[in-house]
Amino acid sequence: MKKLLLASTALVATAGVAQADIALTGGAEMGIFDNGNDDTQFFTDLELRFTFSGEADNGLSFGATIDLDEANANGVHENPALQGGEAIFVSFGGATLTMGDTDGALDARSPEAKVGGASSLADDETIHLGYNPDDGYALFGGGGLALDGAGVDGQIARFDYTVGGLILSASVEQFNNGDSSADDFGFNLFNGLVLGNRGGINGNAGLPIFVADPDSDVGEIFGVGASYATTFGGADLLLGAGYQSADDLASTASIGANMTFSNGFSAGLSFAQTQIDDTLESAIETALVTGVGPGAVRPSIDTTISHFGVGVGYEMNALAIGLNYGRYESDEIEVDGYGLAVAYDLGGGLSLNAGYGYSDADIDFTTADYDDDFDTFSLGARMSF
């Protein structure tokens, strides 16, 4: 149960003047964790969120949120081209426009495999390498097959239209702050693929594999998606699908379903597939070349990467449990993992949370490979205010 850290402030005046509300909510976590390096460490975290909302004379709703734990001190709040944890919206009837720190249409509408109300302090159940969070592209060092975040500045604009249980969404994210003269890409292949100090996949010289194309023209990342919530046989059912595309990078399609039963059990399924663009394919193959002259080796890569995920959950009284498994596959990639989260609600906003994640990665590009497995865990208390 969440409580307001700061009592809501209502500014109500005479007729014809808008009404506004401001609220502050937050949470804290304390415990221990292991991020995959076999070193158990103390874990502490604090979250603060301001929520602003109001309504204009004509019935148009508007508001904003900002997560202070995601903001930084590098001047992002003084630069309107960057976002520092804030999202701003306007809404009228069933239509809503949101800009800033928000999900792309694919991420917003396509359900993930994680189900159940349990979560861990360090997100062990969703940071294992087999999980697809529909947020961030794995080749760039993200955790999934969606292109959210590839635009560098974190600014996303999404339009939603709701009719009953149906929600339709469309989104756009600018690449490199919308600078048409700098729409080329450059990144370390699978940068941050694994946690802690393990680094990403390296070449035969032991250095990160830098993929770049100065002549590429990415432009914008476009997305569309739809979801439908209903009841079926006494159970709550959520269906959703999404699609994202960016010139010279890739396109991704995703579909998922979540079902929650009246007996406390829940289940989730997800499937996603990405198609790497010819420009990005050529840049990756060039970066993987070893040797020079007649002895040079240029590997050919599979441009299709698929992911499958499944999850089950159970909630009863104060106890919540969630378990999920996922796997990425292509001709060169076999990466899978599973995650477990358990939570026990002590009431009043205090809970005990535990999590475990296991990852196994086998990537072989002929001239560069990575083969390793590791696990993570966290244990402690979460406080919601």
Side-chain angles (χ1 to χ4, degrees):
M1 179 182 67
K2 289 197 171 183
K3 300 177 181 177
L4 293 181
L5 285 174
L6 182 67
S8 296
T9 302
L11 304 176
V12 183
T14 59
V17 180
Q19 175 178 315
D21 292 286
I22 303 174
L24 175 61
T25 58
E29 298 171 334
M30 58 183 293
I32 58 174
F33 80 115
D34 180 346
N35 65 0
N37 288 330
D38 298 324
D39 294 323
T40 301
Q41 308 170 53
F42 291 138
F43 184 102
T44 58
D45 190 30
L46 181 67
E47 298 179 356
L48 291 174
R49 166 176 283 204
F50 281 94
T51 302
F52 311 86
S53 61
E55 184 173 320
D57 296 345
N58 61 1
L60 185 145
S61 299
F62 56 91
T65 60
I66 180 169
D67 292 318
L68 296 188
D69 57 301
E70 295 183 15
N72 61 43
N74 294 326
V76 293
H77 297 301
E78 300 172 7
N79 185 344
L82 303 175
Q83 67 85 6
E86 76 276 4
I88 304 168
F89 76 90
V90 291
S91 180
F92 187 82
T96 301
L97 173 65
T98 306
M99 296 182 67
D101 184 15
T102 190
D103 296 328
L106 183 152
D107 192 9
R109 302 277 71 86
S110 185
E112 300 174 13
K114 177 184 178 295
V115 290
S119 60
S120 61
L121 304 190
D123 301 323
D124 303 279
E125 72 280 8
T126 57
I127 61 172
H128 64 83
L129 297 185
Y131 193 76
N132 179 16
D134 287 334
D135 184 10
Y137 203 57
L139 293 180
F140 306 154
L145 295 183
L147 293 166
D148 282 12
V152 182
D153 66 356
Q155 294 272 36
I156 295 177
R158 190 185 75 246
F159 176 80
D160 302 320
Y161 189 77
T162 303
V163 181
L166 176 66
I167 304 178
L168 304 175
S169 298
S171 66
V172 61
E173 179 178 1
Q174 293 179 315
F175 192 81
N176 206 21
N177 303 331
D179 185 353
S180 60
S181 65
D183 281 345
D184 53 290
F185 58 78
F187 60 92
N188 290 332
L189 186 63
F190 287 112
N191 185 43
L193 169 71
V194 293
L195 303 175
N197 298 319
R198 295 169 181 267
I201 183 170
N202 294 332
N204 59 1
L207 300 175
I209 299 169
F210 186 68
V211 178
D213 186 336
D215 298 321
S216 60
D217 185 13
V218 178
E220 290 78 32
I221 302 166
F222 294 100
V224 293
S227 63
Y228 183 69
T230 185
T231 57
F232 181 78
D236 294 328
L237 176 64
L238 175 64
L239 303 172
Y243 175 82
Q244 272 187 326
S245 179
D247 290 344
D248 290 346
L249 287 182
S251 60
T252 296
S254 177
I255 187 170
N258 289 167
M259 202 163 191
T260 303
F261 303 91
S262 58
N263 60 4
F265 284 96
S266 55
L269 290 171
S270 67
F271 178 79
Q273 187 171 87
T274 190
Q275 185 68 37
I276 298 172
D277 186 89
D278 291 345
T279 301
L280 179 56
E281 174 193 11
S282 177
I284 294 175
E285 291 177 351
T286 298
L288 290 170
V289 169
T290 59
V292 294
V297 177
R298 180 188 177 96
S300 177
I301 68 168
D302 185 0
T303 57
T304 301
I305 305 174
S306 300
H307 177 271
F308 170 77
V310 59
V312 293
Y314 179 73
E315 294 183 64
M316 186 59 65
N317 299 322
L319 179 66
I321 303 173
L323 175 68
N324 69 79
Y325 170 83
R327 181 178 179 87
Y328 292 90
E329 282 189 345
S330 75
D331 288 349
E332 298 85 18
I333 299 170
E334 291 184 5
V335 176
D336 67 349
Y338 62 86
L340 171 69
V342 180
Y344 189 83
D345 188 357
L346 298 175
L350 179 64
S351 64
L352 300 178
N353 299 69
Y356 176 81
Y358 174 79
S359 302
D360 187 5
D362 185 1
I363 302 174
D364 188 354
F365 284 117
T366 305
T367 60
D369 59 15
Y370 180 92
D371 188 359
D372 195 12
D373 67 293
F374 62 93
D375 55 8
T376 68
F377 82 87
S378 62
L379 175 66
R382 172 174 293 156
M383 309 161 199
S384 299
F385 304 100

